Amino acid sequence: MRIGTRKLAAAAAAAGAAALVASTGAAPARSLTAAHAGAAKSKVKVGLVTDIGQLNDRGFNHLAYVGVQQAAKRLGATYHVAESNSSADYVPNLALFARQHYDLVVGVGFTETQAMGAVAAKFPQTHFAIVDVANHDLKGKPKNVLGLLFREQEVGYLAGYLAGLEEKRRPGADVIGSVGGERQPPVDRFIAGYQAGARKADPKIKTLNGYSQDFVAQDKCKELALGQIDKGAGVVFQVAGGCGLGALDAAKERNVWGIGVDADQSFLGPHILTSATKRVDTAVFSAIKQVADGTFRGGRDAIYGLKQNGVGLGRVSPKVPASDVAAVRRIQAQIVSGKIRNIPTVVN
């Protein structure tokens, strides 16, 4: 879902932007999306800064926006969303909200790491949260920043286990593929878990992996996926945001399984085996609620795994045998109980 774009016309916003340009030498993103929800006003004011995938990525950024919308509906919070057109927009957008005394400023994604560290240091009285970045990875380990992390390897393992089961049923060589965006920790946690889960289901399976170095351009991910399918892959897992939709399109064209990421992407069609979801919306809502409750504490991380219902499989295709679904549920229970542990987080 993409909300309509309009400029912030309020005098306060203009003043804040002018001050920001003076201090950073850069203007804020041209596309600054404003939104106000709920008749009941709240003291909690939230600024959300997307990465360059923006709100129409059908996954990561969109889920963060859903979390903010939930806070507006349930807590009466008000918010604005800055859609970043390039990485150069991160510092101006984060700083603009801080200068306007927002109660919480949320950055979406690993690519905002350096910008978040710089801005948080300049505005120590502002609460910040950042998705997919550990507090200790930010310069100076700022006490005003909450890292929102996920155990992607756990749900990746489930997706890989299911992929391995389905690939064993297919005639020919057992091969699965994955397409990542940039090689960064959250992407690799998904993929490493996926590969390990597939090998658990089928020790003979071959895993292919590639990186598009892009989270937006769908043609790049589609090309990688088509190459993997040409090498025999019967399942392709996308971990590349909006770019990854191209990989799922390749799976559809070649009549193989696709696995979505972040959000439940089963709406794309019957070629979607399942999706490895992570509840960015839940994490963002929780951070906002902590601010509203007066319990927000930075300088640390909030970590969401299967046990916390922070990651999980989306809808599984009805074509999958019930016995395979049951097998995946058993694996999930073993991860939650700790029987399966030390799932890989690094792609070799």
Side-chain angles (χ1 to χ4, degrees), residues 167-339:
E167 187 64 1
K168 276 202 299 187
R169 294 179 179 278
R170 198 171 65 103
D174 297 349
V175 184
I176 61 169
S178 52
V179 175
E182 294 178 9
R183 184 162 194 173
Q184 51 183 239
V187 172
D188 275 11
R189 287 195 292 267
F190 269 125
I191 295 171
Y194 172 73
Q195 293 178 340
R199 294 187 189 108
K200 175 72 172 180
D202 181 3
K204 297 179 181 178
I205 204 161
K206 180 179 180 180
T207 59
L208 305 175
N209 182 54
Y211 299 91
S212 63
Q213 303 303 328
D214 198 293
F215 286 104
V216 179
Q218 295 186 23
D219 59 315
K220 294 181 181 179
C221 286
K222 185 171 184 177
E223 182 180 359
L224 281 172
L226 288 172
Q228 293 175 0
I229 295 168
D230 286 342
K231 293 177 181 176
V235 184
V236 176
F237 178 29
Q238 80 97 345
V239 194
C243 173
L245 297 175
L248 298 181
D249 188 49
K252 182 179 181 179
E253 282 188 10
R254 295 293 182 87
N255 196 31
V256 302
W257 287 118
I259 297 179
V261 77
D262 295 331
D264 188 334
Q265 296 182 322
S266 59
F267 65 89
L268 292 172
H271 62 294
I272 302 299
L273 176 61
T274 189
S275 300
T277 71
K278 68 179 187 182
R279 298 185 171 90
V280 176
D281 52 339
T282 297
V284 169
F285 173 82
S286 178
I288 297 169
K289 188 174 187 300
Q290 290 170 39
V291 173
D293 293 344
T295 60
F296 181 91
R297 182 166 57 90
R300 64 185 182 93
D301 301 321
I303 303 175
Y304 298 86
L306 285 174
K307 191 171 185 178
Q308 296 79 23
N309 198 32
V311 297
L313 289 184
R315 177 180 178 269
V316 176
S317 170
K319 297 178 183 178
V320 173
S323 59
D324 287 357
V325 175
V328 172
R329 287 176 179 160
R330 287 193 294 272
I331 292 295
Q332 176 168 329
Q334 290 174 21
I335 294 173
V336 171
S337 70
K339 186 174 181 180

Side-chain angles (χ1 to χ4, degrees), residues 32-105:
L32 196 59
T33 304
H36 181 94
K41 290 188 177 181
S42 166
K43 292 182 179 179
V44 179
K45 194 174 180 183
V46 183
L48 179 70
V49 178
T50 74
D51 69 10
I52 61 174
Q54 303 191 342
L55 294 179
N56 61 351
D57 64 353
R58 299 189 181 184
F60 192 70
N61 288 283
H62 169 68
L63 285 172
Y65 175 54
V66 169
V68 173
Q69 286 181 305
Q70 290 172 348
K73 183 177 180 179
R74 296 166 58 183
L75 306 175
T78 58
Y79 63 87
H80 286 93
V81 179
E83 294 188 273
S84 304
N85 297 312
S86 74
S87 59
D89 293 330
Y90 295 155
V91 166
N93 286 339
L94 291 166
L96 179 58
F97 289 135
R99 285 188 180 280
Q100 294 181 8
H101 305 292
Y102 277 62
D103 298 291
L104 179 67
V105 182

